Amino acid sequence: MSEEILRLAGDGIGPEVIDAASRVITAAAEAEGFTVHFVDGLIGGAAIDAGEPPLPPSVAARARDSQAILLGAVGGPRWENHRPRPESGLLTLRQELGLFANLRPVRVFPGLEAVSPLKAPRVDLVIVRELTGGLYYGQPRGLNDPDGPDPEAFETLRYRRSEIVRIVRTAFELARSRGQALTSVDKANVLESSRLWRRTVDEVAAEYPDVVVHHQLVDSAAALLVTDPGRFGVMVTENLFGDILSDLAGGLAGSLGLCPSASLGSGRQGLYEPVHGSAPDIAGQDVANPLGAILSGAMLLRHSFGRPEAADRIERAVERALAEGWRTADLYTGRPGERRVGCRALADRICALVA
Ligand code: NAD
């Protein structure tokens, strides 16, 4: 049986890291006795260059029917003044598919302690960010009196209980599967939406008596992520807080190039992408770190295809390659035992280890 993946490589380093991830996914599937095949589509600047909108209607339609979408990155200086911007293709895709839960695992891999900014990095957590509500989508929003003496801009922060329930359930399930506590992050001392959030978390918690729950205010959560990240397992929070905290947590790993993500809805469908952007400064040079894309592939196999053994294979191979000293430029510190390699060579090594 062959599983289909919609592949949207996008712009900049997107095609390089997605090629690496595709080869590793294929190797892991073969090793586990099944096959995958890829269907390619355009998104972002690549779509614009082909005379299409950032999310071509044919790609949106295909995405709606796809269980699993693997995406590289979109955007870059070439399309700086293009309207709509390439990035709008990705935002529309996430929203059209109802992918309300963004999962970002962050860990410091053994051997990579030196690239983390922390002195004693003990990090193995997942941030679950609400992705389709809150301040980024709330109405009304606008700009009053734009050319007047004192223009006023405003957004609206709204959450319905049902929106909170579904993201919080996703986080509880994850905390249960990882055997970790759940930390819910809010600003309940100030915001009404956060008070509803906190109350809802406590209500949903009754369905998960085996999961320990803590509430943490977002400002202190930010400080604790830097001073004591080891205390966190799964964190769940609303859109804006999650946007900021997940990048902060990603910074703890030491390189943006290491971090995978999954955007999920209520079923098995998912959009999997490294958290980094299109990195135009290094595009086309075979120096990009493909691990964020490769680990996103592992998340795809686990969640959308229900193939945890293939996902484990990839994660073990990544750990092994790092333990052997294989390093792309962003991870290379020049210490003894390190071997500086390009994107393709690292993917080749991981394919060999996966098999
Ligand atoms: P970026 O993530 O592309 O790059 C930031 C820095 O990290 C750069 O120095 C880059 O070289 C480095 N970097 C990123 N990924 C790397 C990797 N895999 N290996 C090694 N180094 C890596 O962020 P940016 O420069 O702010 O944005 C560039 C473009 O990407 C912009 O157009 C932005 O809108 C877009 N972007 C897209 C996404 C997405 O598609 N999800 C996310 C963020 C930014």
Side-chain angles (χ1 to χ4, degrees):
M1 168 182 155
S2 182
E3 309 268 19
E4 181 179 296
I5 298 174
L6 176 61
R7 182 165 60 180
L8 308 175
D11 307 320
I13 61 170
E16 299 166 53
V17 297
I18 291 304
D19 173 69
S22 306
R23 289 194 287 125
V24 171
I25 291 170
T26 303
E30 268 169 23
E32 290 297 333
F34 64 102
T35 56
V36 290
H37 67 277
F38 296 90
V39 174
D40 289 304
L42 296 174
I43 193 165
I48 293 169
D49 286 350
E52 300 260 13
L55 179 65
S58 59
V59 175
R62 188 89 199 202
R64 277 191 287 275
D65 291 336
S66 296
Q67 183 100 306
I69 304 160
L70 183 65
L71 185 137
V74 291
R78 269 181 57 206
W79 306 279
E80 195 69 43
N81 298 316
H82 192 279
R83 294 294 177 273
R85 290 178 63 100
E87 291 85 348
S88 68
L90 178 53
L91 296 181
T92 310
L93 184 62
R94 287 173 180 159
Q95 208 184 10
E96 279 207 2
L97 300 180
L99 304 175
F100 60 82
N102 183 229
L103 271 55
R104 285 207 191 175
V106 179
R107 59 184 290 216
V108 174
F109 286 92
L112 289 189
E113 294 81 0
V115 290
S116 169
L118 300 175
K119 268 185 261 144
R122 202 164 59 83
V123 186
D124 186 7
L125 56 89
V126 184
I127 297 199
V128 180
R129 165 189 170 195
E130 202 290 325
L131 202 57
T132 53
L135 212 46
Y136 294 6
Y137 293 96
Q139 294 291 342
R141 59 194 291 144
L143 180 60
N144 291 329
D145 198 17
D147 303 317
D150 192 15
E152 178 194 46
F154 61 100
E155 271 90 23
T156 304
L157 174 47
R158 267 176 209 281
Y159 270 108
R160 286 187 177 278
R161 183 180 180 281
S162 52
E163 290 175 285
I164 303 171
V165 166
R166 63 185 187 179
I167 184 79
V168 166
R169 280 215 178 101
T170 301
F172 268 108
E173 293 290 339
L174 187 67
R176 176 177 274 172
S177 72
R178 288 172 60 99
Q180 288 179 317
L182 176 65
T183 305
S184 171
V185 176
D186 63 36
K187 188 71 182 168
N189 54 341
V190 178
L191 299 177
E192 204 58 57
S193 57
S194 279
R195 284 191 276 275
L196 178 62
W197 182 280
R198 192 174 281 213
R199 197 178 88 196
T200 307
V201 169
D202 287 336
E203 286 163 9
V204 176
E207 300 166 27
Y208 298 90
D210 51 319
V211 178
V212 178
V213 190
H214 306 284
H215 296 284
Q216 192 77 48
L217 295 174
V218 62
D219 35 1
S220 55
L224 287 169
L225 263 175
V226 176
T227 54
D228 187 18
R231 71 192 291 143
F232 296 117
V234 178
M235 301 176 88
V236 62
T237 190
E238 60 99 73
N239 202 342
L240 172 66
F241 299 160
D243 193 4
I244 298 166
L245 290 184
S246 59
D247 263 34
L248 190 159
L252 302 177
S255 169
L256 264 183
L258 284 168
C259 301
S261 82
S263 300
L264 310 176
S266 40
R268 288 222 146 173
Q269 187 183 46
L271 169 68
Y272 303 85
E273 51 178 322
V275 308
H276 60 74
S278 60
D281 52 330
I282 57 167
Q285 299 169 29
D286 190 35
V287 296
N289 182 343
L291 295 183
I294 289 171
L295 292 167
S296 300
M299 294 180 86
L300 180 157
L301 290 167
R302 182 174 286 119
H303 184 83
S304 282
F305 294 165
R307 301 278 190 178
E309 55 310 312
D312 288 346
R313 237 175 222 278
I314 293 179
E315 287 162 356
R316 281 200 307 269
V318 167
E319 280 175 26
R320 184 80 189 280
L322 290 171
E324 289 175 353
W326 295 66
R327 300 280 187 275
T328 41
D330 55 316
L331 304 177
Y332 183 73
T333 65
R335 284 178 168 70
E338 288 187 2
R339 166 177 187 172
R340 188 173 170 149
V341 294
C343 179
R344 268 196 297 270
L346 180 54
D348 288 344
R349 180 65 193 143
I350 294 172
C351 284
L353 290 168
V354 156

